Amino acid sequence: MASVGSAVGLGNIWRFPYETGQNGGAAFLIIYLLCVIVMGIPTLMAEMTIGRKTHANSARAFRKMTKHPLFSKVGYLGVLSCLLIMGFYAVVAGWTLEYMWESVSGVMTNLTAEQSEANFRVFSSHPFMPIFWTVLMSIMTHLIILGGVQKGIERASKWMMPMLFVLLIALCINSITLSGASEGLNFLFKPDFSKITSKVVLSAMGQAFFSLSLGAGVMITYASYFDKDVNIPHTATTVALLDTLVALLAGIIIFPAAFSFGITPDKGPNLVFVTLPNIFAQMPWGAVWAFIFFALLALASITSLISLHQVVTAYIAEELKLSNRKAALVVTSMVIVLSIICSLSLGVWNEFKIGGMCVFDLMDYVTAKIMMPLGSLLLCIFLGWKVKKETILKEITNYGTRPWRLANAFVVMLKYVIPILITIIFANELQLF
Ligand code: PHE
């Protein structure tokens, strides 16, 4: 449940629709699904294998398994990724709080598409409000981690996830019945393969890793708590299936509605926040739906934020020999600083660009499209080439008690298929051939 909690979050409901929208729709979706199946699920299993085998947090897990100068440091890359991800993730998580507030205060009711866009633009570029919500979100995450309320969060996830599913399905039905919905469905499901470029493939791969929380050590850390009888292939597949399902549902909610209200799908990070208010506006009891939806989305982001926070806190506590409390405080302070910078980069600091991107976009790009795939690449090469095959087979089959037909194929994926694919996708983007 906790792994699903980490995987399902803004990546599915905010990032997936906007990436799909910017990268041509169905063609992107197909490559994304292939990436989940071919690279995502095996990498997820690989992380779980390392986590349960070492029973250590991600930075230590690699050091525990090898003295190799490169591979022993893969965990650090993950720690850095988690920190940078939190920088922009906390900002978007903060937006969900603003939208919860807007749904009860009535700001959001009956906006046209243009008004809703203007509303979002004014809010997200405001020098104070988004920061207020972001800081509040970071403090909430911090308190949950400190208060040991985590048990409570786990319990909450147990009803939150099913509720989120039900709500998403209801919203899907609502979206498909909107006039002009078919155009949106065509965009999402009717591929135009001419749209595939190296950028589309890189984005799809990045989205797969981001959405499954891979290549950053999160799943290693979570799996370090697994019992020896947890069935890794089964657990990894379930997490991936649920995660993908939530993304698909989000797509079915957003695109028919966007087309129906005349919102262009390639808007970028504001797509969902511009489209959703229009959806709720035409629903009976729209404000109530909106409130419940954004509350669930806020909770889903908290469960992801906790997983990100945990990786960095565990590392700092160990490395600097600090108590967990102090380490968590250090991490939360860093996240607050980073997220203030990210938030301001969408407003007053928008002129400052690196490689044509503002800080917010840059952090998203660097983590999802470079660091996470790179972390996964190194992880697969490490497990495939530096760890004895028997060790992997033992771990993945629970010491032979749960034989798995595909165990050998899994090792081949780690050794050859995934490293080659990630390398080709990187090389292609860098126009090396
Ligand atoms: N997978 C999370 C989501 O989809 C984001 C995340 C990325 C969480 C990396 C942890 C690590 O929202």
Side-chain angles (χ1 to χ4, degrees), residues 85-99:
I85 292 170
M86 276 189 283
F88 66 90
Y89 206 92
V91 173
V92 185
W95 297 347
T96 64
L97 296 182
E98 160 79 12
Y99 272 64

Side-chain angles (χ1 to χ4, degrees), residues 6-12 82 85 89 210-214 216 218 243 304 307-308 372:
S6 167
V8 173
L10 295 168
N12 312 60
C82 286
I85 292 170
Y89 206 92
F210 186 87
S211 192
L212 293 173
S213 310
L214 293 177
V218 168
D243 185 72
S304 300
S307 71
L308 288 157
M372 299 175 88

